[in-house]
Amino acid sequence: MQWETVIGLEVHVQLATQSKIFSGASTAYGAEPNTQACAVDLGLPGVLPVLNENAVAMAVRFGLAIDAEIPEISVFDRKNYFYPDLPKGYQTSQMGQPIVGAGEVEITLEDSSTHTVRIHHAHLEEDAGKSVHENFHSQTGIDLNRAGTPLLEIVSEPDMRSPKEASAYVRALHTLVTYLGISDGNMNEGSMRCDVNVSVRPKGQESFGTRAEVKNVNSFRFIERAIEVEVERQIDLLEDGGTVVQETRLFDPDRDETRSMRTKEEANDYRYFPCPDLLPLMLDQAYVDHQRTLLPELPAEKRQRFKEVLGLSSYDAAVLTATRAMAEYFEQVHTRCSDAKLAANWVQGELSGRLNKENLDITQSPVSAEQLGDLLLRLKDDTINGKAAKQVFAELWSRTFETADEVIEAKGLKQVTDTAAIEAVVDQVIADNPIQVTQYKDAEPDKRGKMIGFFVGQAMKASKGTANPQQVNQLLKQKLDALL
Amino acid sequence: MHDLTLAKIAQGLAKGEFSSRELTQHFLERIEKYDSRFNSFITVTGERALTRADAADTQRAAGQAGILSGVPLAYKDIFCTEDIRTSCGSKMLDNFKAPYNATVVEKLELAGTVNLGKTNMDEFAMGSSNETSFYGPVRNPWNTDLVPGGSSGGSAAAVAAGLAPAALGTDTGGSIRQPAAFCGITGLKPTYGRVSRYGMIAYASSLDQGGPMARSAEDCALLLNAMAGHDPRDSTSVSRAVPDYTQSLDAPLKGLKIGLPREYFGDGLDEGVERAVREAIAVYESLGASVIDVSLPHTQHAVPAYYVIAPAEASSNLSRYDGVRFGHRCDDPQDLMDLYKRSRAEAFGEEVKRRILIGTHTLSEGFFDAYYKKAQQVRRLIRQDFLDAFEKVDVLMGPAAPTTAFALGNKADPVQMYLQDIYTIAINLAGIPGISVPAGFHEGSPVGLQILGPHFGEAHLLNVAHQYQQATDWHTRQPDLP
């Protein structure tokens, strides 16, 4: 039987606010356990939550970016359950009336085809703390630094049909939230966490199969793999005559499997009800309009502009807009050298290659966009040739010089364009290589083009790479052909 | 000094008739001497109080004293006080010291008041007789066989017995007004949102409100002046200017329109209580007020709606007492479930457990619409009843409780106990302010007249209460302590 996979995702995005969603404690990552948990985060008696305005603004900007409705009223609810890292015994979340209504996100697959994933809604909630099992000798430690960190939970419709679509969707969200500046998008630090709802159904069947929720899938790589193994499990089960039960499962990347955490019967009854400590959140049109003015250029708009205004190919535009940092770097290089194609080639070629090799993010590049832009300007105005440009880049990378001009000066890489000087070199090369000159003269005319490469090489070597290669080429051809 | 009102105490301090230290010493001695009979304090902070009193005296000598500088007070043990135990009347918090002051404590401390200690209360403010406290019941100073009312019974008894000139209470369904009535003092529940709830341990967050309990309406006005106002730490506190509540106390009542809700004078109202209340209303008529019969048609639904909403919120509010971070933890837990179950089973009393169970049930999947949602709809209707009534009248009057103080152990049936709050509960559901003032006695026990006003009508309520106290002397009566 042919099976179709149906996937929906719940993505928790940690918002990049300075302080927590309901308290003034810092949200910075990596502090000593329990040093960033104030009385409110600890759930001490008598304390009350106060909503962080910034978290609201960020959620609204996300909603506007996915073209969603921003309801005038949204409500915070309490989701009640007991867990040691949940200090109050309830999580403050939004159940019935979330801050962001239905919207949509466009995703691009590897074959450049695009699909639309509908967003059911997105809501604000607080994160829980962490249970720490290491170093406590069969006891559990609780770190509440993360408790109260603002999360935006983005809930998609079951619109994805393959692991690739699911990971493309998460990538699109990642791009979007980092563009919006509402999250650092750092997957390693848990800034984006996904729960994946997976079901399968016979191809052509309209109704959905029973779904399993795979929890806490926290890297692009694992999203695809978790879905693949879960789909395999469900298909095997069904083909053996079994049934899929609705349950929560955990992906174990080490054992490459998902396993049951709890079934529907064991599921908590969360006893949601409106949080009486927080009034309904009212957002008027003026507020929403103001947030709209704060939206940056979004990835889709940027891609469009790169193609139409800068004349880049679809491929280049897509690569260069993949992250906001990449796009900003490229744009700075372009501003400096005023040659979009040249800037695109270098950012994607020399720079990206080197970054990948050393496993660096573009924000960590030793060569700044200004440095690269100035370097490309020298290439463009023929001060140096391509080969020298690579050498300059290498010097800038190792930070031995501040600017491209300094490297060019210190290393004598300035391109020689003086015709007399080049002519002298060319004449010398012809005089020094009589055998090759004879071979050239005797060769079939259509072979001579290739043979001229030898002379160009010799001339470049003689000029220590500084001669303008086009000029050398042209002169050699003139002089050699004159000997015929 | 213990028979003086707060206003007189403030005057005495200002005139140098006595110092704050003398005053504080006097009340501490009375607590020492008498409180074993009443059990109105859980914690007495004597040394600390004297230090504060000295500081207030120094401040006064430097000419920097405010009106409440050096005035002793007591706090219901539900208000968090930095470094002083805040037990909420529960074994669960017997070991709890908050690292912060409640906003109202902070404000009153800033005003220079002296904290004598923390008063007894029903556990987590759940009760109408002060019998559910982990620290034992409080006894009524007028007759120690009787309860003082609850849940702010310790505060009411302490003020009535002259162990503190005034105290703070909280009122979720009548917990300031009913004990004020039972103990013959004046107690004000402000409009919901008028006084910050920050640092006031939550029972039912949408109903809880802190307020003053004192010897007179004027004293309540002085305290409310210092307590009221928006608090950025409490999102439900209202950003609205705070008037000087003492300014309008003397306004004459000629032309005042008093509504008598007929539902507050029906079956179950003790005859003696009704008589005293009607006599009080007659006094108002003699002061130039007119009386109009009104109806609050949804009154009968108030107690059931309250006992859905309050336990629902309580079940969630009390989840934080899990034995993990603070409060009581059972010995040698076997696992996490055992830790939760035994810590909570051991440290919560019966009434608290009952309300957690009720609340957990009413919020459960499949029951939410039938209980919680329905109760919220009823709540809106009850609120509308009051809004409609205040279209016709300025204030509403009636009894604060259906009976006078009853004997300890007399109301073993929880529903009988819940019906104690039949005249006070709707006020919390509607969010309006209410005050209970002493209006005579029935068989030796004080009777409380309840006066209700529209949202944020405290200034007028206090004026109406004060004028009655100018015309009568019930509020000046104190029990004889041998």
Side-chain angles (χ1 to χ4, degrees):
Chain A
M1 193 188 296
Q2 285 264 47
W3 296 94
E4 184 178 47
T5 304
V6 176
I7 304 160
L9 280 98
E10 292 161 21
V11 179
H12 295 83
V13 174
Q14 186 177 313
L15 297 177
T17 53
Q18 296 292 305
S19 58
K20 294 187 176 176
I21 184 165
F22 298 123
S23 84
S26 165
T27 54
Y29 179 82
E32 283 294 301
N34 297 311
T35 56
Q36 288 181 173
C38 69
V40 173
D41 307 320
L42 293 172
L44 292 186
V47 299
L48 294 170
V50 177
L51 181 59
N52 183 333
E53 266 185 64
N54 239 332
V56 172
M58 288 180 177
V60 168
R61 293 211 282 274
F62 173 80
L64 293 172
I66 62 162
D67 218 5
E69 190 208 343
I70 308 297
E72 229 178 283
I73 297 178
S74 69
V75 174
F76 287 92
D77 298 292
R78 291 184 182 177
K79 179 181 179 180
N80 295 283
Y81 65 98
F82 284 96
Y83 205 71
D85 61 21
L86 188 72
K88 299 187 295 296
Y90 57 83
Q91 178 193 29
T92 309
S93 180
Q94 297 189 301
M95 172 69 172
Q97 293 175 264
I99 187 163
V100 174
E104 50 186 52
V105 169
E106 189 167 276
I107 63 171
T108 308
L109 299 181
E110 277 166 358
D111 63 4
S112 295
S113 65
T114 60
H115 299 250
T116 298
V117 174
R118 291 168 303 152
I119 304 298
H120 182 270
H121 76 269
H123 65 259
L124 281 170
E125 61 184 26
E126 59 182 337
D127 208 345
K130 272 184 198 161
S131 296
V132 188
H133 302 286
E134 300 85 31
N135 309 326
F136 284 96
H137 311 289
S138 82
Q139 291 187 305
T140 300
I142 305 292
D143 177 6
L144 294 175
N145 280 354
R146 203 181 65 185
T149 299
L151 298 177
L152 183 67
E153 179 172 339
I154 303 160
V155 180
S156 83
E157 295 285 359
D159 282 356
M160 286 148 281
R161 296 290 174 267
S162 70
K164 291 243 181 283
E165 286 185 16
S167 68
Y169 166 71
V170 177
R171 268 175 226 278
L173 283 187
H174 185 266
T175 302
L176 194 56
V177 297
T178 50
Y179 260 80
L180 290 167
I182 63 172
S183 176
D184 64 16
N186 193 328
M187 310 272 281
N188 295 332
E189 292 173 8
S191 296
M192 253 177 112
R193 305 194 288 272
C194 310
D195 299 337
V196 191
N197 286 298
V198 183
S199 65
V200 297
R201 62 181 171 191
K203 213 163 183 115
Q205 181 184 305
E206 207 153 298
S207 59
F208 293 130
T210 305
R211 66 169 196 267
E213 184 182 9
V214 185
K215 277 271 179 208
N216 249 354
V217 187
N218 299 335
S219 79
F220 293 122
R221 197 155 53 92
F222 290 161
I223 290 162
E224 288 187 32
R225 192 59 201 155
I227 296 170
E228 280 163 12
V229 298
E230 177 57 20
V231 166
E232 250 172 66
R233 186 189 72 86
Q234 291 187 12
I235 292 175
D236 287 350
L237 199 62
L238 292 170
E239 290 188 338
D240 289 347
T243 49
V244 174
V245 288
Q246 190 176 331
E247 62 182 348
T248 307
R249 301 180 69 84
L250 191 76
F251 176 60
D252 181 342
D254 298 327
R255 293 161 69 173
D256 199 31
E257 62 174 29
T258 66
R259 58 172 181 272
S260 184
M261 278 174 75
R262 55 175 179 264
T263 62
K264 194 184 175 191
E265 285 69 37
E266 295 166 325
N268 279 309
D269 176 355
Y270 291 121
R271 293 173 284 121
Y272 280 101
F273 77 107
C275 179
D277 289 330
L278 293 159
L279 300 173
L281 176 63
M282 317 281 270
L283 300 174
D284 59 19
Q285 197 54 47
Y287 176 84
V288 175
D289 289 343
H290 174 67
Q291 290 303 320
R292 199 186 298 276
T293 65
L294 302 176
L295 287 181
E297 186 180 33
L298 294 174
E301 297 161 7
K302 216 180 252 297
R303 271 199 300 278
Q304 199 68 16
R305 179 167 61 83
F306 281 10
K307 283 196 283 192
E308 287 174 3
V309 181
L310 303 182
L312 297 183
S313 69
S314 294
Y315 177 82
D316 286 354
V319 173
L320 292 170
T321 54
T323 66
R324 184 170 172 176
M326 174 74 104
E328 280 174 357
Y329 190 103
F330 161 75
E331 294 217 66
Q332 279 179 46
V333 174
H334 172 238
T335 309
R336 241 23 207 216
C337 74
S338 315
D339 187 331
K341 187 67 201 163
L342 185 65
N345 286 344
W346 272 75
V347 171
Q348 293 174 81
E350 201 68 14
L351 178 74
S352 292
R354 198 66 195 262
L355 290 171
N356 286 341
K357 203 170 131 194
E358 305 202 8
N359 211 1
L360 294 175
D361 185 85
I362 195 152
T363 56
Q364 303 163 303
S365 171
V367 179
S368 72
E370 290 76 12
Q371 286 174 319
L372 181 57
D374 289 347
L375 162 61
L376 298 187
L377 196 59
R378 291 293 165 257
L379 184 60
K380 205 178 153 219
D381 67 12
D382 281 335
T383 306
I384 53 173
N385 60 40
K387 198 174 166 222
K390 288 187 181 177
Q391 202 182 331
V392 174
F393 181 82
E395 294 289 347
L396 290 173
W397 185 276
S398 58
R399 294 189 163 138
T400 40
F401 294 92
E402 280 292 310
T403 65
D405 287 347
E406 281 174 36
V407 183
I408 293 164
E409 183 64 37
K411 299 279 170 186
L413 297 176
K414 205 164 200 168
Q415 177 164 257
V416 178
T417 48
D418 170 6
T419 313
I422 293 177
E423 203 171 352
V425 175
V426 165
D427 288 342
Q428 194 61 46
V429 169
I430 291 172
D432 289 350
N433 297 286
I435 300 167
Q436 283 79 359
V437 172
T438 312
Q439 284 171 347
Y440 182 90
K441 288 201 288 195
D442 295 348
E444 299 289 320
D446 57 329
K447 295 270 169 63
R448 287 186 193 134
K450 239 183 181 170
M451 293 175 76
I452 207 164
F454 166 79
F455 299 100
V456 174
Q458 292 299 309
M460 291 307 290
K461 205 169 159 186
S463 76
K464 296 196 177 78
T466 60
N468 181 319
Q470 283 83 40
Q471 275 178 297
V472 171
N473 204 308
Q474 212 179 347
L475 265 173
L476 274 166
K477 198 163 179 328
Q478 258 177 39
K479 300 229 171 205
L480 288 168
D481 288 352
L483 297 173
L484 291 175
Chain B
M1 284 182 272
H2 56 271
D3 50 5
L4 297 177
T5 61
L6 211 62
K8 288 269 187 289
I9 285 176
Q11 274 175 24
L13 284 166
K15 288 184 186 155
E17 289 167 12
F18 40 77
S19 68
S20 176
R21 172 169 265 271
E22 283 163 352
L23 196 61
T24 302
Q25 192 78 57
H26 177 70
F27 283 106
L28 289 172
E29 278 163 15
R30 282 184 65 84
I31 293 169
E32 175 75 30
K33 188 168 173 197
Y34 295 113
D35 201 40
S36 55
R37 289 183 214 180
F38 312 125
N39 195 27
S40 66
F41 279 85
I42 291 175
T43 304
V44 179
T45 52
E47 261 179 59
R48 207 186 164 103
L50 290 171
T51 310
R52 287 275 303 168
D54 289 342
D57 287 333
T58 309
Q59 216 177 16
R60 189 172 296 279
Q64 293 165 338
I67 187 153
L68 293 179
S69 260
V71 171
L73 295 175
Y75 293 97
K76 184 180 185 178
D77 207 16
I78 199 169
F79 291 95
C80 286
T81 42
E82 196 174 343
D83 294 334
I84 301 167
R85 174 177 58 182
T86 301
S87 72
C88 223
S90 180
K91 180 179 180 180
M92 183 58 89
L93 293 178
D94 186 45
N95 63 2
F96 177 70
K97 280 184 185 172
Y100 44 83
N101 279 326
T103 296
V104 287
V105 174
E106 197 175 272
K107 286 184 158 199
L108 285 167
E109 293 263 311
L110 205 68
T113 62
V114 173
N115 176 9
L116 295 170
K118 310 289 292 288
T119 58
N120 206 342
M121 57 182 285
D122 278 300
E123 186 180 7
F124 282 101
M126 298 179 191
S128 307
S129 67
N130 223 302
E131 291 170 291
T132 70
S133 171
F134 170 62
Y135 300 91
V138 176
R139 288 169 186 273
N140 193 315
W142 292 93
N143 177 347
T144 52
D145 292 336
L146 306 182
V147 302
S151 64
S152 309
S155 288
V159 174
L163 309 185
L168 257 56
T170 63
D171 190 318
T172 306
S175 284
I176 286 177
R177 292 159 290 154
Q178 184 252 21
F182 278 16
C183 291
I185 64 165
T186 305
L188 171 71
K189 182 206 91 80
T191 307
Y192 183 80
R194 178 75 291 186
V195 171
S196 169
R197 291 187 299 114
Y198 185 86
M200 196 177 99
I201 296 179
Y203 155 28
S205 314
S206 73
L207 301 161
D208 296 341
Q209 186 66 201
M213 302 174 81
R215 315 203 66 82
S216 70
E218 185 182 15
D219 290 2
C220 287
L222 282 170
L223 288 169
L224 189 61
N225 273 351
M227 292 167 67
H230 178 247
D231 179 4
R233 292 181 296 189
D234 174 4
S235 310
T236 62
S237 74
V238 175
S239 185
R240 187 184 167 116
V242 178
D244 179 347
Y245 292 106
T246 61
Q247 281 299 304
S248 45
L249 289 174
D250 294 326
L253 297 187
K254 199 160 171 49
L256 177 75
K257 279 189 271 182
I258 299 171
L260 299 188
R262 72 182 72 111
E263 293 80 5
Y264 285 22
F265 291 88
D267 285 348
L269 175 60
D270 193 287
E271 263 180 56
V273 173
E274 178 167 1
R275 197 178 317 119
V277 167
R278 291 209 185 268
E279 279 169 14
I281 290 160
V283 171
Y284 276 105
E285 286 179 299
S286 74
L287 294 173
S290 59
V291 171
I292 299 160
D293 181 45
V294 296
S295 175
L296 302 169
H298 297 93
T299 297
Q300 55 169 323
H301 302 301
V303 171
Y306 174 89
Y307 278 99
V308 170
I309 293 167
E313 293 180 7
S315 70
S316 176
N317 284 334
L318 271 62
S319 293
R320 67 188 59 197
Y321 309 110
D322 56 7
V324 174
R325 296 166 316 285
F326 54 81
H328 177 74
R329 179 188 284 190
C330 66
D331 290 331
D332 303 318
Q334 298 306 299
D335 55 28
L336 181 61
M337 262 310 145
D338 188 43
L339 169 80
Y340 285 155
K341 284 183 176 171
R342 281 202 290 128
S343 299
R344 288 167 68 82
E346 287 167 10
F348 284 145
E350 287 308 304
E351 186 57 30
V352 171
K353 284 177 190 162
R354 181 178 294 118
R355 294 195 197 185
I356 290 174
L357 283 173
I358 294 171
T360 304
H361 177 69
T362 55
L363 289 177
S364 298
E365 206 175 332
F367 295 102
F368 181 86
D369 286 0
Y371 289 118
Y372 190 83
K373 207 170 153 192
K374 181 69 94 187
Q376 289 292 7
Q377 289 164 346
V378 170
R379 185 176 185 170
R380 278 192 285 279
L381 294 173
I382 286 170
R383 182 185 154 93
Q384 195 55 50
D385 279 357
F386 284 105
L387 297 182
D388 292 346
F390 290 125
E391 293 283 310
K392 302 187 203 98
V393 298
D394 302 314
V395 292
L396 295 167
M397 287 188 191
T403 63
T404 53
F406 47 88
L408 265 85
N410 177 265
K411 301 237 186 294
D413 173 22
V415 175
Q416 283 308 308
M417 188 70 88
Y418 297 167
L419 289 171
Q420 263 303 306
D421 297 332
I422 189 160
Y423 304 133
T424 47
I425 261 178
I427 284 74
N428 298 77
L429 290 170
I432 59 171
I435 190 167
S436 176
V437 293
F441 291 81
H442 172 53
E443 290 170 359
S445 284
V447 172
L449 166 73
Q450 183 177 222
I451 313 169
L452 308 172
H455 293 98
F456 300 100
E458 285 86 355
H460 192 223
L461 270 193
L462 289 162
N463 163 227
V464 170
H466 179 70
Q467 289 306 305
Y468 175 73
Q469 293 181 335
Q470 294 301 101
T472 60
D473 67 353
W474 301 117
H475 64 291
T476 64
R477 308 283 179 93
Q478 279 188 297
D480 292 326
L481 302 186

